[in-house]
Amino acid sequence: KACAPGLKRVASVSLGQISLLVLATEELLMHITGVDTDCEATGIGGVGVNKGAASVSLSVCNRSICFLTAHLAAHQEKLAARNAQVLEIHRNLKVGKKLASVASLDLANRFEHLFWFGDLNYRVDLPRAVALQHISEFNLGALLAHDQLRAAIKAKEAFGGFCEGDILFAPTFKHIPGEGAHEGGAVRPYEQKKQRVPSWCDRVLTRSWPGSASMLQLLRYDSTPQLLTSDHDPVSARYKLDLPSRWEARELLEEHKRFCLVIDELCAFELHPSDNNGLADPYVQVSADFLGKPLESSVQERTLSPSWGAEQVRIPPPHYARTRAYLDLAHLYIKVVDRDRFTRDDTMGCAVLSCRNLLLEAESANRLTLVKRAFCLELTHHGLPCGQLRGRIWVEFCGSKPWLQLSPWEWNIFSSSNSARRGSRDSPFFPHLTSRKSSKSRGVPSETKKREVAV
């Protein structure tokens, strides 16, 4: 109940002996919103609370953050079980789903910054005698070359897209509780009775959206061998996260320039089949925090390598999002979905696309020469890689295309081939409004629409 001076409790959550407590300074507390918690048990029978994860998500200055602590399967030979538990946590953890724009994304893509830490129990695949020899010589590189966690990340078997700081401390497991380093030594002695291979079981990993990773800086990653109560050395990490100031968020573009984000030349590769025939009927779904509802492409039937060619997805930001500061911090949430005729559509993969510097590139270019940025996104589903999505994105300003002169609910969101199929004239700003053109004056809604907005 008592916190350190100057710190206030934001949230806490427990699952058996797995506990997570989030604290914040009083100054920062007023900027924290959308706090959510959830747990997932992965122990005995898939329900035992001796293993699993506990998580807290929140938004601070409009940055979504998730803290997740986990305790995974123990023992050297349980590598596959650990990877399976990571997959189960990705699949079942519901934290952060209260925000509609990211509710359908998998855990790995749901937050701008995801911190995953705890006793992950990944071991070093070396004979014990060899590992101890490397430790006595402080040859950490030789140990890390056989680290199960780093091998799993490299092979994309678990924790796809996660990063870890440089490990410059000795393995933190398995020590003799209550016994510190011997005189003249720098490392606590390792137990001999159970003959465990010294390993880095306790880890801190992070995953950030594209365009946001540079805002998170690792300042310190170390162990604390001075605490002797456990057979593990505690591990800690300290980060610096850049947050937007209040005046930056209100900086408006000159003359409130109207523009539209355009995506085209979409194509996907190496998708995993969702149907029994080994194929799929994929389409692309794009959403954002400033969109009322997702935008969708056409369906490409019976293929795992779909291409949408010249078909365009046009994304008109609302007035409050037409600022350079806002758009630089904005992201598009992209899903590739398999259309099912009789059941719910299946997600094939998710990714996040950064809008950083799109306006800067467009404004610095000649108005007659549109700067089209190519992108290639790694799709993930339940934390595992499941293909790639490529395309182009750019900004078109008002005046460069006739349709940009229309009012927001008159914009055609897709190409003409899409309009007939999906009714793309629905307003992305007010989904409950109809999209009939007003014959009175451009950009002014009818009386009916005014009443609906007021309601």
Side-chain angles (χ1 to χ4, degrees), residues 403-423:
W403 61 266
L404 279 170
Q405 303 291 346
L406 300 175
S407 56
W409 46 83
E410 294 175 314
W411 278 337
N412 286 320
I413 306 304
F414 309 111
S415 63
S416 57
S417 62
N418 250 0
S419 299
R421 189 184 65 81
R422 294 219 175 256

Side-chain angles (χ1 to χ4, degrees), residues 78-388:
K78 296 293 185 179
L79 173 60
R82 286 187 280 275
N83 291 343
Q85 289 176 351
V86 172
L87 177 62
E88 185 177 348
I89 293 169
H90 271 284
R91 180 182 289 116
N92 298 330
L93 205 61
K94 302 297 190 297
V95 67
K97 284 199 169 188
K98 293 181 179 179
L99 186 60
S101 57
V102 297
S104 62
L105 299 181
D106 64 349
L107 179 65
N109 292 292
R110 206 176 299 158
F111 306 98
E112 189 166 0
H113 302 286
L114 171 59
F115 298 84
W116 191 316
F117 49 92
D119 184 3
L120 306 185
N121 258 322
Y122 285 88
R123 308 301 174 94
V124 172
D125 279 330
L126 281 175
R128 174 181 165 84
V130 176
L132 289 173
Q133 179 64 29
H134 287 318
I135 293 172
S136 65
E137 299 170 355
F138 210 70
N139 187 3
L140 302 184
L143 292 170
L144 289 169
H146 298 274
D147 177 64
Q148 290 180 345
L149 178 56
R150 295 204 168 183
I153 294 176
K154 185 177 180 179
K156 298 182 179 181
E157 296 173 349
F159 294 106
F162 279 81
C163 301
E164 183 182 23
D166 294 333
I167 294 181
L168 303 176
F169 50 90
T172 58
F173 172 86
K174 178 176 173 65
H175 295 293
I176 303 174
E179 187 169 339
H182 296 161
E183 186 175 352
V187 181
R188 291 175 60 190
Y190 295 94
E191 65 85 29
Q192 299 182 14
K193 183 177 180 180
K194 294 185 177 181
Q195 291 290 296
R196 305 292 192 221
V197 178
S199 302
W200 290 280
C201 290
D202 309 279
R203 313 290 276 267
V204 180
L205 308 176
T206 62
R207 193 182 196 277
S208 300
W209 284 347
S212 299
S214 60
M215 300 179 185
L216 185 65
Q217 179 185 359
L218 176 62
L219 302 178
R220 180 179 177 272
Y221 188 33
D222 204 356
S223 64
T224 310
Q226 295 81 8
L227 295 178
L228 310 177
T229 56
S230 171
D231 56 358
H232 293 249
D233 284 340
V235 172
S236 62
R238 184 178 182 183
Y239 294 86
K240 177 184 177 182
L241 176 62
D242 294 333
L243 296 174
S245 62
R246 298 180 67 180
W247 65 268
E248 284 180 330
R250 296 179 180 180
E251 178 190 359
L252 295 177
L253 286 176
E254 181 183 356
E255 299 177 357
H256 305 286
K257 294 179 181 177
R258 290 173 59 180
F259 61 87
C260 182
L261 302 179
V262 185
I263 300 177
D264 75 346
E265 293 193 359
L266 286 170
C267 56
F269 303 91
E270 302 175 355
L271 297 179
H272 294 184
S274 297
D275 297 337
N276 293 332
N277 60 6
L279 297 173
D281 303 313
Y283 65 92
V284 175
Q285 190 178 86
V286 182
S287 59
D289 290 335
F290 54 81
L291 285 178
K293 61 180 180 180
L295 311 178
E296 296 178 357
S297 73
S298 62
V299 176
Q300 302 295 307
E301 297 182 351
R302 299 175 61 83
T303 178
L304 296 179
S305 299
S307 176
W308 288 268
E311 181 179 340
Q312 295 182 344
V313 178
R314 299 183 181 274
I315 309 165
H319 179 271
Y320 67 84
R322 293 201 293 266
T323 73
R324 188 177 297 107
Y326 186 100
L327 197 65
D328 279 350
L329 298 176
H331 293 78
L332 302 179
Y333 314 126
I334 300 179
K335 290 173 56 179
V336 178
V337 187
D338 176 33
R339 169 55 49 86
D340 288 328
R341 185 170 300 179
F342 303 109
T343 60
R344 186 176 63 179
D345 293 356
D346 301 318
T347 299
M348 302 182 69
C350 306
V352 177
L353 179 60
S354 172
C355 297
R356 177 170 292 276
N357 292 331
L358 278 177
L359 271 176
L360 180 63
E361 294 171 2
E363 290 179 322
S364 61
N366 188 310
R367 281 294 183 88
L368 300 178
T369 306
L370 295 175
V371 179
K372 301 182 178 181
R373 180 195 296 176
F375 62 83
C376 181
L377 303 176
E378 293 288 339
L379 299 172
T380 63
H381 187 47
H382 299 320
L384 296 178
C386 56
Q388 294 182 345

